[in-house]
Amino acid sequence: MKSVLRVNGGQPLVGEITVRGAKNFVSKAMVASLLGTSPSVMRNVPEINDVQIVAGLLQLHGVAVSWDQAAGVLSMDPTNVDLAGAGEIEAHAGSSRIPILLCGPLLHRLGEAYIPDLGGCRIGDRPINYHLDILRKFGAEVEKYTDRGIQLSAPNGLVGTKYELNYPSVGATEQLLLTAVLAEGKTELRNAAIEPEIMDLIAVLQKMGALISVDTDRVIRIEGVEQLQGFNHTALSDRIESASWGAAALATGGEVMVRGATQPEMMTFLNTFRKVGGDFDITDDGIRFVHPGGKLRSIVLETDVHPGFMTDWQQPLVVALTQAEGLSIVHETVYENRFGFTSALRKMGAHIQVYRECLGGTPCRFGQRNFYHSAAISGPTPLTAADIAVPDLRGGFSHLIAALTAQGTSNVQGIKIINRGYENFLGKLEALGADVEMVEP
Ligand code: EPU
């Protein structure tokens, strides 16, 4: 089976590609469809594995799903929602992080839920303490928690609550929203995550009939309603994929027009892109990312929750920073273990040192602990081809960018992971003139 991507690098990526809906929104809105009493329709849905995985989970629970992949239209009819068999659920263990978000909706619909143990990228410990704590505060009981699945019930229904997050977790905020909208009475969440994907989820829930208000100080208030209907919604664009192609244009010295990319959600990335020396042109159709020639500049960067620089933008940009003049510093404050991908870059000739210390001023939870969460990148260093293995989704895309930047032929293993979040990435690479080919290992 052809599972290795052979990349003949050293050519700038030049051309146009299209980015559709955000993976980290579409999968959550699909879960929201479980809350409605009528069918939901979502548009601008990308053809990625994570959508397939969540569609499979919904189907296991009796949701009728139809997906026109070319048109990007997904229809979900939750009329016959039912419990799934334990064996079928357990077969999904380790596949994704989305199943935990099914808890609230299933508890509302069925009074109980059994969900598979979680997967997702290994970029840190990724605990679910906030999720379970929130569900318990609403009145759910966690009955069994094994490495195959988590059993919950809500014998007395779910009742609104007050909760303050220690850290503005995206998933925990979504957990609370998906549970509060049908819970009895009022719910208040303090220190909520306010990522654009969460705002789009709130828009979906409002279309369904929910009452949600968002204050300027990370406080979200929800008044539970008795019933929600289906929604009809066009997903916001994937700002992580857009930035990944932008970083690829910069690292390879090319020019990539990303149709579908939108400015408001990408302002922080665009500022950084400009500081590094990249150019961009924003049109009604998308954003053109350009390496204008000349030298790239080193920067100091810290990842943070929205409106900060996204952790998921970090890995692709670091590859471009290997081509910048001087010393760049990157402090990762969202995940404790998101520099694993740099070992492959070092193998390819990059000068990157990782540190346990906080190299930045943003308060971070990892400073006094044993985590390599800061990096110093000195450049520019020519990259040379290597045989590398993809560690996770974003790190994997960075490896791809590095292989495209490097002179010579690289072999990239484990490339399938990238299908989880990048639609038709091979077709897009070819459209941008990359010399790539799937080969036998
Ligand atoms: N955290 C806890 N306890 C919890 C939940 C989270 O300590 O119960 C911690 C995490 O360990 C992490 C931090 O809080 O250090 C932030 O995690 P968050 O919950 O915000 O992340 P997530 O919901 O698991 C989503 C995206 C990630 C993205 C982050 C941050 C999805 C499916 N995943 O993860 O995307 O990096 O938000 O924006 O939406 C990716 O797309 O490749 C990806 C990893």
Side-chain angles (χ1 to χ4, degrees):
M1 215 183 84
K2 293 181 177 173
S3 59
V4 172
L5 188 70
R6 178 161 294 163
V7 181
N8 293 315
Q11 298 294 323
L13 292 185
V14 178
E16 279 188 21
I17 48 130
T18 298
V19 163
R20 296 203 277 184
K23 157 176 123 28
N24 291 347
F25 161 75
V26 168
S27 47
K28 326 295 174 62
M30 290 173 74
V31 175
S33 75
L34 272 171
L35 293 163
T37 50
S38 52
S40 292
V41 177
M42 192 151 43
R43 300 171 204 286
N44 202 28
V45 175
E47 201 178 334
I48 52 173
N49 282 0
D50 266 24
V51 171
Q52 195 75 57
I53 290 167
V54 182
L57 270 169
L58 292 180
Q59 282 165 329
L60 275 186
H61 290 92
V63 178
V65 179
S66 71
W67 184 9
D68 179 339
Q69 300 185 329
V73 178
L74 189 69
S75 307
M76 295 152 290
D77 183 349
T79 313
N80 298 315
V81 167
D82 204 352
L83 284 175
E88 294 169 310
I89 290 289
E90 288 170 0
H92 274 74
S95 62
S96 144
R97 298 197 62 74
I98 308 300
I100 190 80
L101 297 177
L102 264 69
C103 293
L106 287 178
L107 288 171
H108 280 303
R109 290 292 304 257
L110 306 168
E112 58 181 299
Y114 183 52
I115 60 135
D117 190 46
L118 304 189
C121 293
R122 285 181 203 92
I123 48 183
D125 201 22
R126 305 192 81 180
I128 53 168
N129 54 322
Y130 300 157
H131 294 257
L132 296 182
D133 208 26
I134 285 170
L135 289 161
R136 287 189 181 108
K137 288 278 279 179
F138 278 99
E141 289 176 10
V142 180
E143 295 183 342
K144 194 176 74 171
Y145 184 2
T146 71
D147 60 358
R148 304 301 299 160
I150 306 167
Q151 176 85 48
L152 303 106
S153 66
N156 305 313
L158 298 170
V159 181
T161 185
K162 280 192 174 189
Y163 196 80
E164 175 155 7
L165 282 166
N166 291 334
Y167 184 79
S169 150
V170 169
T173 300
E174 293 160 343
Q175 180 74 263
L176 182 130
L177 286 167
L178 291 165
T179 308
V181 284
L182 283 180
E184 190 196 322
K186 297 187 181 191
T187 296
E188 180 183 285
L189 176 63
R190 294 193 165 265
N191 203 22
I194 49 165
E195 269 59 9
E197 293 76 17
I198 290 178
M199 293 303 133
D200 215 23
L201 180 63
I202 291 175
V204 159
L205 293 168
Q206 186 179 52
K207 284 180 176 175
M208 297 178 81
L211 281 168
I212 304 172
S213 65
V214 183
D215 286 353
T216 47
D217 53 355
R218 293 191 179 276
V219 177
I220 299 182
R221 292 190 177 83
I222 303 115
E223 287 181 42
V225 295
E226 296 223 323
Q227 190 175 305
L228 296 171
Q229 68 213 25
F231 62 82
N232 193 325
H233 193 77
T234 300
L236 90 167
S237 169
D238 197 313
R239 63 195 172 119
I240 307 177
E241 188 186 352
S242 298
S244 301
W245 290 112
L250 200 58
T252 62
E255 179 170 335
V256 176
M257 170 68 188
V258 183
R259 292 196 179 277
T262 47
Q263 181 187 17
E265 296 80 19
M266 296 194 67
M267 284 193 158
T268 308
F269 180 80
L270 292 171
N271 283 336
T272 305
F273 194 81
R274 183 169 274 163
K275 282 189 200 166
V276 178
D279 231 342
F280 53 84
D281 180 26
I282 298 162
T283 70
D284 289 347
D285 296 334
I287 303 177
R288 182 184 302 279
F289 294 94
V290 182
H291 187 311
K295 290 176 179 166
L296 297 181
R297 293 184 286 271
S298 53
I299 52 160
V300 173
L301 180 67
E302 296 185 83
T303 64
D304 207 347
V305 294
H306 189 75
F309 190 93
M310 284 186 96
T311 168
D312 307 275
W313 290 334
Q314 177 257 104
Q315 293 111 316
L317 193 77
V318 162
V319 185
L321 293 179
T322 67
Q323 304 307 305
E325 184 107 335
L327 186 69
S328 294
I329 304 286
V330 181
H331 180 208
E332 168 63 58
T333 75
V334 180
Y335 286 111
E336 68 272 30
N337 187 18
R338 219 169 186 181
F339 282 121
F341 74 102
T342 57
S343 54
L345 301 192
R346 271 193 295 277
K347 192 171 156 187
M348 299 173 87
H351 291 169
I352 304 178
Q353 289 258 36
V354 287
Y355 298 92
R356 293 191 182 96
E357 288 73 17
C358 294
L359 299 184
T362 302
C364 144
R365 296 158 294 151
F366 314 130
Q368 299 308 317
R369 297 159 71 193
N370 215 10
F371 301 120
Y372 288 97
H373 71 293
S374 295
I377 304 122
S378 73
T381 45
L383 299 182
T384 47
D387 289 352
I388 48 183
V390 163
D392 59 63
L393 180 60
R394 308 298 169 195
F397 198 84
S398 309
H399 285 184
L400 255 187
I401 300 175
L404 291 160
T405 308
Q407 291 293 338
T409 303
S410 297
N411 291 303
V412 189
Q413 277 180 37
I415 206 81
K416 268 189 169 172
I417 296 176
I418 295 180
N419 291 316
R420 275 195 43 222
Y422 292 87
E423 180 176 43
N424 183 25
F425 73 92
L426 275 181
K428 290 180 187 176
L429 283 174
E430 279 162 8
L432 297 174
D435 184 357
V436 291
E437 186 193 2
M438 290 300 294
V439 295
E440 311 261 343

